[in-house]
Amino acid sequence: MTSESPDMRASDAERERVAETLREAVAEGRLEMDEFEQRLDATFKARTHGELVPLVRDLPVPGGLGGPVTGAVAEREGVADWPARIGGEPTSSGAFAFWGGFSRKGRWTVGRQFTAFAMWGGGEIDLREARFAERDVVIRCFTIMGGMQVTVPPDLNVQVRGFGIMGGFGEHSKLDEEPEPHPDSPRVKVTGFALMGGVGVEWKRSRAEKRRLKEQERLRLEKPDAGDGRKELG
């Protein structure tokens, strides 16, 4: 990108890469929300590389504007990023709560087997931004007079095999459509039991993904106007 002329016209794909970099930056706390909104607005108004570069100059931009697509951009363009999230040393292999609670969320690495126990307490296991030490993972959830919530992204391959005794062990979705596992995603089995308590497995999008879809819809609605403008210029 830096070797190209700042007057070179920017493509839609390059604007999308900059927008994704900004979304990642605000999610990581690198940008405040008001600055994020200002830069995002400037991104979609930019017409040249020279206008785009200052918007991400102080942020990490893997591969530059013309580099390989990753993360949510990859998903949007049909390129799976799941292989990049498999492998590495686990950061946690278990969790315990007694008269209290525990939480595993954000960017953490799940071990081959993760065991969670809660008695008279509760726990949260969020896999939406997690990495996985191996392709096949077993998450064992045991609760006695307590509750546990496992949150998973729409494209993760998940099997639920637990049972409840005077309690519940079930799954539900907060999506408008049926979850569809990606062929390259890890295979996660959630098992265990709930005694006089509950374990829930919920398919849910992350906040970053919701923002991306909202922005994508906004762009889709604005495209007819942009197209009319180009027609008038021609």
Side-chain angles (χ1 to χ4, degrees):
M1 170 61 197
T2 55
S3 62
E4 295 171 346
S5 170
D7 295 327
M8 182 176 290
R9 302 288 288 188
S11 68
D12 288 340
E14 288 168 335
R15 280 185 283 268
E16 281 298 320
R17 287 187 176 91
V18 170
E20 188 58 36
T21 297
L22 296 174
R23 295 187 190 101
E24 287 292 330
V26 74
E28 294 171 354
R30 299 178 189 272
L31 291 177
E32 296 295 332
M33 185 56 68
D34 57 346
E35 186 176 9
F36 162 72
E37 292 174 349
Q38 292 172 5
R39 293 197 189 192
L40 189 65
D41 182 62
T43 296
F44 292 111
K45 290 180 179 177
R47 292 292 174 263
T48 66
H49 284 176
E51 294 174 284
L52 286 176
V53 168
L55 301 174
V56 291
R57 181 173 287 149
D58 57 347
L59 300 173
V61 189
L65 298 184
V69 294
T70 57
V73 176
E75 294 176 7
R76 180 164 55 247
E77 298 185 3
V79 180
D81 72 329
W82 276 115
R85 291 173 62 179
I86 300 175
E89 291 296 320
T91 56
S92 182
S93 59
F96 177 84
F98 180 75
W99 284 102
F102 69 81
S103 178
R104 297 290 187 277
K105 61 182 180 179
R107 297 184 178 181
W108 63 295
T109 302
V110 190
R112 180 179 62 83
Q113 182 171 283
F114 182 91
T115 302
F117 177 82
M119 182 174 183
W120 296 324
E124 175 189 16
I125 303 171
D126 193 331
L127 304 179
R128 290 175 293 177
E129 297 181 19
R131 292 181 56 89
F132 299 83
E134 298 185 19
R135 177 76 184 274
D136 292 288
V137 171
V138 177
I139 296 180
R140 306 192 304 165
C141 300
F142 305 100
T143 179
I144 300 175
M145 299 181 70
M148 210 173 293
Q149 181 72 38
V150 182
T151 306
V152 301
D155 55 351
L156 183 64
N157 190 338
V158 181
Q159 295 181 345
V160 181
R161 293 288 184 268
F163 62 93
I165 303 173
M166 297 179 66
F169 201 117
E171 55 188 283
H172 64 281
S173 174
K174 283 195 172 181
L175 304 173
D176 297 330
E177 69 282 351
E178 285 295 318
E180 185 175 348
H182 194 283
D184 292 330
S185 80
R187 294 181 289 264
V188 178
K189 180 183 293 185
V190 181
T191 185
F193 69 82
L195 174 62
M196 300 178 68
V199 174
V201 179
E202 178 181 71
W203 277 263
K204 186 178 179 182
R205 291 188 175 90
S206 66
R207 286 183 294 179
E209 177 71 1
K210 290 178 181 178
R211 287 198 300 268
R212 183 186 70 78
L213 292 174
K214 185 176 180 180
E215 184 63 29
Q216 191 176 42
E217 178 64 14
R218 183 181 73 83
L219 288 173
R220 187 186 68 80
L221 295 174
E222 289 180 354
K223 276 185 177 179
D225 296 335
D228 292 343
R230 287 192 293 270
K231 187 179 295 184
E232 292 175 3
L233 290 173

